[in-house]
Amino acid sequence: MFDSLSDRLGGVFDRLRGRGALTEADVRGAMREVRIALLEADVALPVARAFVDKVTEEAVGQNVLRSVTPGQQVVKIVNDALVEMLGSDSADLNLDVTPPAVVMMVGLQGSGKTTTTAKLSRLVKKRGKKVLMASLDVNRPAAQEQLAVLGTQIEVATLPIVAGQQPVDIARRAMQSAKLQGFDVVMLDTAGRLHVDQALMDEMKAVADISKPDEILLVVDSLTGQDAVNVATNFSQQVPLTGVVLTRMDGDARGGAALSMRAVTGKPIKFAGVGEKLDAIEPFHPKRVAGRILG
Ligand code: GDP
């Protein structure tokens, strides 16, 4: 992830730093290369354009060019803008509410939603919370059983399966069980679909009405690049998302989804999935990721 972007930017910045003095034309030339590198990393066009315009304006507008180390200054401006593009601060789950806190997981089929539900439940359990997972996925065969198997592996309770029950009723039952049995956190794994469609959105809204989620996390596959951002845009227009989990960050994605997500959707990336194992999840730290990109 980010390797090729990192190499490209590294080359541009080495050349900038290698010079004593910089002209405005030098900066503009370098920023043209940065723009191309971002687009090749699959960053959404308006995001790449806004990024380069902002950096260029700061770099040529201040006293940067007259400073002792102009190249260094420009790199710092790029670093700060990258951190901002990635979302500035890392964002945790908001679970400090009157229990049970409800986390609703949404996303397309195959994005890694069920796996991520288990990964996050494991993390929350490690913080000392009593967690109940419930699968509302009545579309994909064996989806409910899959979550039950994962629950056994991580020793987290799952809502017993009632054959034929519809998502809204499962959500209602999950909420009742959580209240009666004193669970601190309910994780609702909603049904995915192959594409964003109205039936899916209506179902999610109905489930949200019943469960009043404190978090609605969208799970998207980082390997799908700009598609991931389009999916996130679609979802965020219909349901009040509180954040995004980007899965398959261990794959060789070019990084476009991670880089465009915040700017396009306004939602923070809260976690990154980094493998198939149930401990393969990390909080998303914009500063660290920017540091990794700039080497
Ligand atoms: P769902 O249909 O959205 O519920 O998707 P699943 O949770 O069943 O995941 C689909 C596949 O993606 C499974 O084989 C998971 O092991 C895999 N997967 C999920 N998250 C990650 C990740 O972060 N990295 C990798 N390499 N694989 C993942």
Side-chain angles (χ1 to χ4, degrees), residues 193-207:
R193 293 281 202 283
L194 292 177
H195 306 285
V196 176
D197 66 20
Q198 202 50 45
L200 171 68
M201 294 300 171
D202 291 345
E203 182 178 300
M204 283 189 310
K205 284 179 201 164
V207 168

Side-chain angles (χ1 to χ4, degrees), residues 108-116 119 140 146 247-250 273-276 280:
L108 296 186
Q109 220 173 71
S111 58
K113 193 162 38 62
T114 302
T115 313
T116 304
K119 286 176 173 179
R140 185 157 63 90
Q146 181 190 349
T247 60
R248 300 207 178 85
M249 292 278 281
D250 50 309
V274 291
E276 295 199 24

